[in-house]
Amino acid sequence: MELIDRTGTEVRDALARGATTSRALVDALIARTEAAKRLNVYVEFDPDGLRAQAEAADARLAAGERLPLLGVPVALKDNIEAVGFACGNGTGALQGRHPLQDAELVRRLRAAGALIAGKAGLHELAFGITNNNAVTGAVRNPWNVDRIPGGSSGGCGAAVAARLVPAAIGTDTGGSVRIPSALCGIAGLRPTVGRVSADGIAPISATRDTAGPMARSVADLVLLDEVLAGDRSPLPDVTLRGLRLGLPEQGFWEDLDPGVRGAADAALEALRAAGVALVPVSLDGVQQANGEAGFPIALYEFVRDMTRYLRDRQRGISFEELIAGIGSPDVKAIAAPLLGDGAIPEAVYRQALVARERLQGLYASAFDAGGLDAVVFPTTPLAAAPIGQDETVMLNGRACPTFPTFIRNTDPGSNAGIPGLTVPIGLADGLPVGLALDARAGSDRRLLAIGAALEAVLAPMPQAPLPQ
């Protein structure tokens, strides 16, 4: 296996040993990226700038310097500010506009020695899961170029799966790290809200948003979490024998595509064989509380938080100009009414916050009642849909609304603000399937330890085809 096909931790270790150079690595990645233009993963990619970053890293390595990510390229979703790149957030009014400073998480990545590989495409304004963006074009899934990569961090998912970059940083409001990770066959972490700084990230909702790492191994997520969160605490010891994972009885395991069901059931059998206790758990009321909380919070806070972001980060446009520049019909339909009669009243928003507290209480009670380490479920009810199915998608012979169908399992944990992890578990009709874990707020390091233990007993994920 070539080094560019290996994980970020393997690349980091090879660079530290002097087995290769960062310049040689990025030259290979640049060549592959040029061959993969059809995937449309990047909205901005600067080969010369990347080579210059790599040469600077090589000089530091040669001088004996060692840092957690020294010489390792990392891609950024294009709603994360990084000096040297525009931050377009996938929308017309921000295209070509450069930030004045790095986002805090980018500052941490650079301090750890990472190279910024480029800005990855997203669903416009991060408001969707197909990544079929009318402004920057559709991102394509490397497993099947006629399929979506998931979203809204779809460019990140496709870039990592296609092995154009070892890792990427996306953002997740209702599933936007975990859904593209699952549909592209990689691992992704949604941290507990507040664990990773949101400074310098174009927002949807301060209550719901978080940045999170996407990579081809849980070990890479661990490494990136250390850098992003500034948490170098060792992972707790986790053994699978006696680990208690909850199987939600309501919704999460129902109405699954047969291929997804087969892959998920096979994964559960592997976990049982390793000694994991799979415990039925009631999450009765979770979907109702989630419905009452989710969109009112997101849409009210989008107006408030985006207005504040545009002003405080001096992005050069108003909220009204941002909305006027939206090109994707599905996003326009959500955002445009917020300037008029579709605005969420403050009283409705306050009621939604109360529903969120109820949602958090339901999760905490379920964890306590079952003595659970996490709950487990398929990340999405179906694998990647064909590009263009933005309004409806076929599931078990029925036309279902695309957005709520794909976020059905990831959205409740997002609204509760708890950490979520997805790991790949194989293919269904040639397309990747993910298995998700939600855990208690603040238990991110333990969740990652559980994910690493699961990864060790699950069947290894094949690599996506190389770009043609």
Side-chain angles (χ1 to χ4, degrees):
M1 183 185 295
E2 297 183 38
L3 186 63
I4 59 171
D5 295 318
R6 295 194 177 275
T7 66
T9 49
E10 291 171 330
V11 166
R12 187 271 314 268
D13 292 346
L15 291 170
R17 291 194 312 270
T20 188
T21 64
S22 184
R23 174 58 191 266
L25 171 69
V26 303
D27 280 344
L29 290 173
I30 289 166
R32 184 174 287 174
T33 299
E34 292 295 328
K37 283 185 176 179
R38 187 181 181 192
L39 297 179
N40 192 37
V41 300
Y42 284 117
V43 295
E44 189 169 359
F45 184 70
D46 177 12
D48 290 338
L50 184 55
R51 290 187 183 102
Q53 292 182 71
E55 289 170 359
D58 284 334
R60 297 169 72 181
L61 287 161
E65 190 172 359
R66 297 295 180 265
L67 293 168
L69 293 169
L70 186 53
V72 179
V74 177
L76 302 174
K77 187 176 180 179
D78 192 35
N79 60 351
I80 301 171
E81 295 180 6
V83 171
F85 297 89
C87 185
N89 201 19
T91 198
L94 286 172
Q95 292 302 295
R97 293 182 178 269
H98 284 247
L100 301 179
Q101 56 188 311
D102 284 337
E104 171 59 20
L105 74 81
V106 175
R107 186 195 66 78
R108 293 187 180 203
L109 287 169
R110 292 196 204 267
L115 318 182
I116 304 305
K119 302 298 291 294
L122 67 153
H123 201 105
E124 189 166 3
L125 293 175
F127 265 112
I129 60 86
T130 67
N131 240 112
N132 190 15
N133 187 322
V135 176
T136 59
V139 176
R140 297 178 180 275
N141 193 314
W143 290 90
N144 182 330
V145 296
D146 296 323
R147 299 278 175 155
I148 65 170
S152 59
S153 309
C156 291
V160 173
R163 306 183 302 289
L164 310 184
V165 70
I169 310 300
T171 63
D172 190 310
T173 302
S176 290
V177 161
R178 293 157 293 160
I179 290 169
S181 294
L183 300 190
C184 291
I186 63 172
L189 173 70
R190 174 194 163 85
T192 299
V193 169
R195 181 173 175 81
V196 176
S197 172
D199 182 57
I201 302 175
I204 291 178
S205 161
T207 298
R208 299 183 53 178
D209 294 345
T210 180
M214 304 166 69
R216 294 192 297 276
S217 74
V218 175
D220 283 7
L221 300 183
V222 172
L223 175 60
L224 289 162
D225 176 72
E226 291 175 0
V227 172
L228 298 178
D231 184 354
R232 302 262 177 107
S233 60
L235 293 189
D237 291 332
V238 168
T239 58
L240 292 182
R241 188 156 301 280
L243 190 76
R244 294 177 66 83
L245 299 181
L247 295 176
E249 294 178 323
Q250 295 86 11
F252 293 80
W253 284 88
E254 298 171 357
D255 197 21
L256 303 175
D257 171 84
V260 170
R261 164 65 75 175
D265 284 347
L268 292 188
E269 286 306 311
L271 300 185
R272 284 192 184 96
V276 174
L278 298 171
V279 184
V281 59
S282 175
L283 287 178
D284 189 28
V286 159
Q287 294 292 352
Q288 179 178 344
N290 183 64
E292 294 173 11
F295 275 103
I297 290 174
L299 298 182
Y300 181 92
E301 292 188 350
F302 175 64
V303 178
R304 181 196 70 189
D305 297 346
M306 181 58 81
T307 299
R308 184 181 300 154
Y309 163 80
L310 294 170
R311 180 192 67 228
D312 293 351
R313 301 295 291 194
Q314 300 179 52
R315 297 309 316 277
I317 63 168
S318 67
F319 183 78
E320 291 74 16
E321 289 170 319
L322 179 85
I323 300 303
I326 295 174
S328 303
D330 60 329
V331 179
K332 192 84 166 182
I334 295 170
L338 299 176
L339 292 173
D341 293 341
I344 303 297
E346 183 173 356
V348 173
Y349 170 63
R350 298 297 171 190
Q351 291 173 351
L353 292 177
V354 173
R356 179 178 185 263
E357 291 180 0
R358 188 168 80 251
L359 176 66
Q360 292 173 315
L362 290 168
Y363 271 106
S365 297
F367 286 129
D368 288 342
L372 302 178
D373 296 284
V375 292
V376 62
F377 47 87
T379 312
T380 59
L382 69 167
I387 293 171
Q389 294 188 357
D390 299 304
E391 299 299 325
T392 60
V393 64
M394 295 304 296
L395 175 61
N396 293 328
R398 308 182 328 277
C400 300
T402 302
F403 183 64
T405 298
F406 272 101
I407 71 166
R408 185 191 79 188
N409 285 358
T410 57
D411 198 46
S414 304
N415 275 312
I418 59 179
L421 174 71
T422 183
V423 294
I425 55 172
L427 303 176
D429 298 322
L431 295 169
V433 177
L435 189 71
L437 298 160
D438 281 350
R440 294 177 185 271
S443 68
D444 301 59
R445 299 297 281 177
R446 180 168 176 78
L447 178 60
L448 286 165
I450 293 170
L454 265 58
E455 187 180 61
V457 300
L458 294 171
M461 187 70 183
Q463 292 185 335
L466 287 175
Q468 299 296 315

